[in-house]
Amino acid sequence: MDFTMGEVATELRKDLRHLVAEHVPADFLGAFTDDPADLEVAQRFCALLAERGLLCAAWPTEFGGRGGSVWEQTVVREEMWAHHEPRGAQYMGVNWVGPTLMRHGTPEQQRTHLPPIARGEVIWCQGFSEPEAGSDLASLRTSARRDERGWLVNGQKIWTSYATMAQWCFLLARTSTGERKQQGLTIFLVPMSAPGITVRPIRAMMGPHHLNEVFFDDLRVTEADVLGAVGEGWKVVQEVLAFERVGIARYARCERLLQAAPRVLGAQWDTVPAELRGRWARMLVHCRRARLLAYRVVALQSEDRVAPGDAAAYRIAVTTLDQDSAEVLSELVDQLGPDLEPVPARRQWFRRAVADHWRYSQAATIASGSIEMQRLLLSRALLAAS
């Protein structure tokens, strides 16, 4: 397991950090705030990355990428998440919608969807979870009924990130019933502007755009909107979830904030209790563990050998890291005490960044499959291998 990325990746990391420093405001904490200017920053930065072939670095050139290695794409993923994801919601299209289309899409679907994703021009949302089918996704009830004109979709999705801004939805619906609930599921590629779709935002502490309800009332879709084979959507979903669960490099932001703590505290670092400094050091070790688990899954994905248990092991490590590091960082912020005017910019940034990290971390063990489901997947994999 030699995961040395090499000189190309090192130079790429330097270039990305330079671009972020030059084009992203120092106080940027993500695109999905109450300030529309933050989303505009992300959209402009996406276009800049796309122009330089960095948005989809590992995609084949015929699909709009630059034919780089999976490790180059991993570097992009790490640097973007470390700097509060200045790609905005593009990681969804880049990390798993695009690769899924390359593997399962028709030539027409690929021509329609891949170039806009590679240019950073389109945002996708994921129509998976439902009020009674979250972690148990195969129990979903949204149905697609076939008629002489195609399909009619009816049902509801929930917790749909970016539904208020997305142009397309990667929708999973039931088209038939079988002996197992995983049978009879089909994926549809649906324009969010289509008649019959209603989006209702769910207010949450993570800010706008993250959580929404989506209702489908006699939504008309055609055979051309079906991705893969009718009734075989579960196989594709398993692959999608494996890509999605390693697609966010949460460890990179944890490590950046942890490394910043001694510099922000300055002379106050020496007065931090030894127990808290010990936990801070353990969090850095856990960052390294999560990074290596991610690299292992990336290597397996590049060889088409990734299994749900591999992604689950990484997901467990990185989401618990997210929450544990957030607690340690919050306690380190408390060590700062009250700020005296004028407050140094770096100290202001650190307070806000840690608070933002804490808010996001609360959902880490639920999003993309709860940690309980990840443990179940990992247990099954270990039992199968024993």
Side-chain angles (χ1 to χ4, degrees):
M1 291 193 356
D2 181 6
F3 292 127
T4 302
M5 290 189 177
E7 189 62 29
V8 172
T10 300
E11 290 302 313
L12 174 59
R13 197 180 297 278
K14 290 180 183 177
D15 291 343
L16 287 166
R17 291 180 180 179
H18 175 76
L19 289 174
V20 169
E22 185 176 355
H23 297 280
V24 178
D27 60 351
F28 180 80
L29 291 179
F32 311 120
T33 69
D34 291 313
D35 188 350
D38 290 326
L39 179 58
E40 293 172 9
V41 167
Q43 294 298 87
R44 288 196 301 269
F45 194 71
C46 276
L48 177 66
L49 290 175
E51 288 172 8
R52 298 175 182 236
L54 296 174
L55 185 61
C56 301
W59 282 23
T61 54
E62 62 266 30
F63 293 133
R66 70 171 190 173
S69 72
V70 294
W71 302 111
E72 290 175 65
Q73 192 68 55
T74 299
V75 169
V76 175
R77 183 183 297 158
E78 289 176 346
E79 291 304 313
M80 293 303 99
W81 194 253
H83 292 87
H84 292 270
E85 195 51 85
R87 294 176 300 177
Q90 298 297 330
Y91 72 87
M92 189 176 289
V94 170
N95 284 336
W96 65 262
V97 175
T100 303
L101 283 163
M102 292 176 207
R103 296 166 68 91
H104 301 283
T106 65
E108 180 59 30
Q109 289 171 340
Q110 292 172 352
R111 285 192 295 269
T112 299
H113 296 295
L114 292 177
I117 295 175
R119 293 193 298 265
E121 297 173 350
V122 63
I123 293 174
W124 283 77
C125 64
Q126 179 192 79
F128 282 11
S129 294
E130 298 185 5
E132 296 183 19
S135 295
D136 185 17
L137 180 58
S139 296
L140 63 84
R141 297 181 180 179
T142 295
S143 66
R145 178 175 57 83
R146 198 176 224 153
D147 62 17
E148 67 279 0
R149 295 171 53 197
W151 301 84
L152 277 178
V153 179
N154 285 278
Q156 177 189 358
K157 299 294 179 178
I158 199 168
W159 316 129
T160 307
S161 299
Y162 320 127
T164 53
M165 58 172 40
Q167 292 82 41
W168 286 88
C169 180
F170 194 96
L171 174 65
L172 185 65
R174 182 166 298 284
T175 50
S176 64
T177 57
E179 293 182 5
R180 299 173 64 246
K181 58 188 176 183
Q182 290 83 359
Q183 296 172 330
L185 299 175
T186 302
I187 295 169
F188 296 90
L189 308 176
V190 179
M192 291 296 289
S193 59
I197 298 179
T198 303
V199 179
R200 295 179 188 170
I202 301 172
R203 292 295 297 176
M205 65 180 178
M206 291 188 297
H209 306 298
H210 281 281
L211 303 177
N212 303 277
E213 294 177 287
V214 184
F215 298 87
F216 304 94
D217 298 298
D218 285 342
L219 168 68
R220 172 64 63 184
V221 293
T222 69
E223 295 295 336
D225 301 317
V226 175
L227 178 69
V230 172
E232 298 294 324
W234 188 251
K235 295 178 182 178
V236 179
V237 167
Q238 291 297 96
E239 178 184 299
V240 163
L241 293 175
F243 274 91
E244 182 188 16
R245 286 166 182 163
V246 76
I248 299 178
R250 293 177 179 271
Y251 55 84
R253 186 178 302 174
C254 297
E255 185 170 352
R256 182 179 180 225
L257 292 173
L258 289 164
Q259 294 281 14
R263 297 193 296 273
V264 172
L265 270 73
Q268 290 176 275
W269 182 253
D270 293 334
T271 65
V272 172
E275 183 272 342
L276 180 54
R277 279 186 290 175
R279 288 163 57 209
W280 169 84
R282 284 196 296 275
M283 287 302 101
L284 286 171
V285 173
H286 291 176
C287 285
R288 181 63 175 171
R289 177 183 65 180
R291 182 186 294 268
L292 290 175
L293 281 169
Y295 288 1
R296 181 175 185 272
V297 177
V298 169
L300 291 169
Q301 283 179 342
S302 68
E303 300 170 359
D304 291 328
R305 294 196 295 123
V306 68
D310 299 312
Y314 163 71
R315 187 75 184 176
I316 293 166
V318 80
T319 53
T320 53
L321 166 67
D322 226 27
Q323 293 180 345
D324 293 346
S325 67
E327 295 300 325
V328 170
L329 286 162
S330 296
E331 291 183 42
L332 288 170
V333 166
D334 291 341
Q335 297 294 313
L336 288 170
D339 288 323
L340 301 176
E341 297 293 341
V343 183
R346 187 161 186 83
R347 184 171 286 212
Q348 290 183 28
W349 166 82
F350 187 68
R351 284 188 183 277
R352 292 180 62 239
V354 168
D356 181 76
H357 175 56
W358 185 89
R359 285 195 300 271
Y360 274 83
S361 73
Q362 301 313 297
T365 52
I366 301 173
S368 301
S370 69
I371 195 169
E372 289 79 11
M373 291 301 296
Q374 306 306 318
R375 287 169 176 157
L376 181 60
L377 289 170
L378 180 56
S379 298
R380 288 174 176 170
L382 292 173
L383 285 171
S386 63

